[in-house]
Amino acid sequence: MVKKIISGGIAGIDAKIVEVETDISYGLPCMEMVGNLGGEVREAKERVRVALKNAGFVIPPQRITVNLSPADWRKEGTGYDLPIALALLSAMEQIEYRALEQVFIVGELGLNGEIRGVRGILPMAMKVSESGLRKMIVPKDNEKEAMAIAGVKVFGAENLECLLRFLKNENCWDRIEDSTGYVSDAICEATDNDFADIFGQEAAKRALLIAAAGFHNIVLCGPPGCGKTMLSKRVPEILPPMSERECLEVSRIYSVAGLLLGGDKLITKRPFWSPHHSTTPVALAGGGRMAGPGILSKAHKGVLYLDEVVHFSAETLEMLRQPMEERKITVARNFAAYEYPANFMLVVSMNPCPCGFYPDFTRCNCTPEQIRRYRERLSGPIRDRIDLFVDVPQVTMDEIKGKTGKKTGSEEMKKLVLRARCFQQKRYGGDGDVCNALLSVKQMEQYLNPKKEATDVMDKAFERGKLSLRGYHKVWKVARTIADIEESEYIERKHVTEALSYRERKIE
C-alpha cells in the first residue's frame, strides 16, 4: 500500500507542498527515488537507510519506490530526509500512519538519527497555515521559527527516538497547543550609534533625515575621514520600527538564506548590509547553484550601504538598475525563475576625486578630466536613480571642539522621520508600506499637491535641460518629503528649491 507524507520545499522565498509517496513491493531488492530530484535529495536514501539502521529498524529486502510529487518541479535541499524516513516506517508498519495524516514534516537526518535544522522553515509554516494544515514536525533548531505563525501545532524533534516516542502516544497532538504567532516584544538590542557622536556635518544629517523620511537613495561625497561611513551606519537608527508584517516579510528572506537557523527571534530591526567592493554580481543579486536571496534581498526594508562605490566592478554596480526601479529582482535558471523582494534604501559614499581632496586645491592636483573619469565609474543610469547627492566637507577644529553649531542626535531626527512617515501613511493609507520614494507617476499626479510658485521653479529647472524625466520626478518626490517633515499639505517654493539643491552638480 502506498503511504503519503506531506512535506515541502522552497521556491524563491515561497514554499511549495510536496507529497512523499512510498511503496514497498516484491521484486529485486532496491530503493528507487524519483520526482525530479537534486543531488542532495538523491543522497537522502543513504542517510535514511543508515539512520534507520542505527535507530534499530531493518529495511526489508524488497523493492522500495519513493516518489516526490509533483514531479515537474525540481526538489533541492536536505529537508526531505525525515519525511522519507517516516514514510518508510509507515509503509513497514512500524508506526501508526494515523499520527502522520495531515501533518507537514521536514528535517535533515544525521547517520545517528539526529534531526538537524534546515533553511526556509518560516515560509513553510506560512504555507502550512495557508493550505489548511495545522500540524508540523520540524527539527528542534527550527521550532521557534515555525511557531512564529499563529494557529499551527508545532513539534520540534531532536532525534528519531524522541520523535517516534511522541508519535506512539495515541493522542499525541492533543497535548500540543497552537502557536501564538509572532512575538512583538522580541526586539533586537539597541546600539550605541548616535548621530550626536558626529562632529558637525549638520547639512549631511539634514539630507539623511530627508532620505530616511521618504526612503530615498542618497550619495555622500567627501574627502577621506570626514565621517561618511559613520553617518551612513547610523541611518537605520532613525528609520521607523518595522511592523509585524514587515518583520515576517524580512524574516522569511533570512529563513530561506539560512540566517535564522537555531535563532529564537525574528528579524525585528531594519537590516543594514555593507558588502565589500570585491562582492560578485551573484552574491549581490542572489542565485547560485541552489538559488537563494542575495545581499540586495537581505537588505529588504533596510539599508544597503556601498562604501567607496567607485571601487565596485561595473558589472556588480549595474546589477542595481532593475532592483532600484522595480524593488524586486528575478533570478532565472534552466528549470525555474525565482523572484526576490529588494525594496532597500541605497546609501552610497565616495571620494570626490582620485586623491580624495577636491575642491581643496592646496592638496588636490587632479584635473577636471581625471575627476570626471573617476566619478563616471558610477554610471549615468545609476546616478539618475539616486534621489539626493550631498557634499560632506572636512570637519573644522571648531566643530571638533564643539564651539560652533548644534549637534543633532538620532532621537531628534527619528521623531521628525516618524512625523513625516505618519503624514505619508495618512495620505496613502495602508500600514505605511508606501513612502514618497515609491510613488508611481499616477500617484504623484494625485498626491503631490504643489503650489503654483513651486511648479514654476520646477518647470524652469526642467527647461534648462539639467534634469531627465526620472530626475524631474525624483525632485518632486524629495520636495514632497521635505514638505511632510514640516507637516505641510502643499509643496511650496522653498521645498522645491531645497530638493533641487540635492541634485548632482557637474564638474567644470
Side-chain angles (χ1 to χ4, degrees), residues 23-80:
D23 177 75
I24 299 178
S25 58
Y26 293 108
L28 189 66
C30 67
M31 184 173 175
E32 290 289 342
M33 293 182 58
V34 296
N36 197 1
L37 312 178
E40 296 86 354
V41 186
R42 287 195 296 269
E43 293 168 352
K45 65 180 179 181
E46 290 303 317
R47 290 192 295 272
V48 168
R49 182 181 63 80
V50 177
L52 291 180
K53 178 192 69 110
N54 289 331
F57 297 98
V58 178
I59 296 178
Q62 293 177 285
R63 182 176 183 83
I64 300 171
T65 304
V66 178
N67 176 46
L68 272 62
S69 175
D72 63 347
W73 179 65
R74 189 169 180 81
K75 323 301 184 304
E76 301 278 2
T78 58
Y80 299 103

Side-chain angles (χ1 to χ4, degrees), residues 16 26 28 39 68 130 138 154-155 157 160 177 257 298 345 348 360 390 422 472 474-475 487-489:
K16 284 193 174 184
Y26 293 108
L28 189 66
L68 272 62
E130 292 169 5
V138 301
V154 179
F155 179 76
L160 269 177
E177 294 183 359
K298 293 170 187 174
M345 174 182 167
V348 168
D360 183 358
V390 185
C422 287
Y472 175 80
K474 287 193 174 295
V475 172
E487 294 186 303
S488 172
E489 290 286 348

Side-chain angles (χ1 to χ4, degrees), residues 201-209 218 220 231 390-392 413:
Q201 306 301 5
E202 292 301 317
K205 291 180 185 179
R206 167 70 177 176
L208 288 169
L209 164 65
I218 184 171
L220 302 176
L231 287 163
V390 185
D391 291 326
V392 185
M413 295 173 70

Side-chain angles (χ1 to χ4, degrees), residues 125-311:
M126 291 178 176
K127 187 67 176 180
V128 167
S129 179
E130 292 169 5
S131 60
L133 300 172
R134 287 294 179 265
K135 303 171 187 174
M136 290 185 73
I137 295 175
V138 301
K140 190 68 175 179
D141 285 345
N142 297 124
E143 185 178 28
K144 291 183 178 179
E145 185 180 338
M147 292 176 70
I149 305 303
V152 179
K153 294 178 182 287
V154 179
F155 179 76
E158 295 180 349
N159 51 55
L160 269 177
E161 182 183 355
C162 164
L163 176 57
L164 295 177
R165 192 163 56 244
F166 167 76
L167 293 173
K168 284 180 181 177
N169 293 322
E170 186 174 351
N171 299 316
C172 55
W173 287 107
D174 295 338
R175 304 177 184 181
I176 304 293
E177 294 183 359
D178 289 355
S179 57
T180 56
Y182 166 82
V183 181
S184 60
D185 61 353
I187 302 298
C188 296
E189 61 277 2
T191 67
D192 295 328
N193 292 334
D194 194 314
F195 276 98
D197 300 332
I198 299 174
F199 300 111
Q201 306 301 5
E202 292 301 317
K205 291 180 185 179
R206 167 70 177 176
L208 288 169
L209 164 65
I210 295 168
F215 214 58
H216 300 288
N217 301 319
I218 184 171
V219 169
L220 302 176
C221 183
C226 66
K228 301 187 297 295
T229 302
M230 289 183 67
L231 287 163
S232 302
K233 288 184 176 180
R234 283 157 173 75
V235 172
E237 305 302 319
I238 63 172
L239 289 174
M242 291 199 293
S243 65
E244 178 179 335
R245 185 186 56 76
E246 287 178 317
C247 289
L248 289 173
E249 193 175 334
V250 174
S251 296
R252 181 168 63 168
I253 297 169
Y254 279 63
S255 176
V256 171
L259 299 178
L260 288 185
L261 191 58
D264 60 352
K265 293 180 181 179
L266 298 184
I267 304 299
T268 56
K269 189 172 181 180
R270 295 197 180 272
F272 179 88
W273 282 82
S274 179
H276 190 261
H277 60 77
S278 61
T279 299
T280 64
V282 172
L284 199 66
R289 188 183 61 83
M290 285 183 63
I295 293 172
L296 298 184
S297 296
K298 293 170 187 174
H300 182 62
K301 298 295 182 181
V303 176
L304 175 66
Y305 174 50
L306 302 184
D307 191 14
E308 299 302 336
V309 67
V310 295
H311 296 298

Side-chain angles (χ1 to χ4, degrees), residues 480-499:
R480 181 65 265 175
T481 300
I482 296 169
D484 288 342
I485 293 172
E486 297 180 3
E487 294 186 303
S488 172
E489 290 286 348
Y490 300 95
I491 298 178
E492 300 177 11
R493 179 189 179 95
K494 62 179 180 179
H495 303 143
V496 170
T497 303
E498 183 177 0

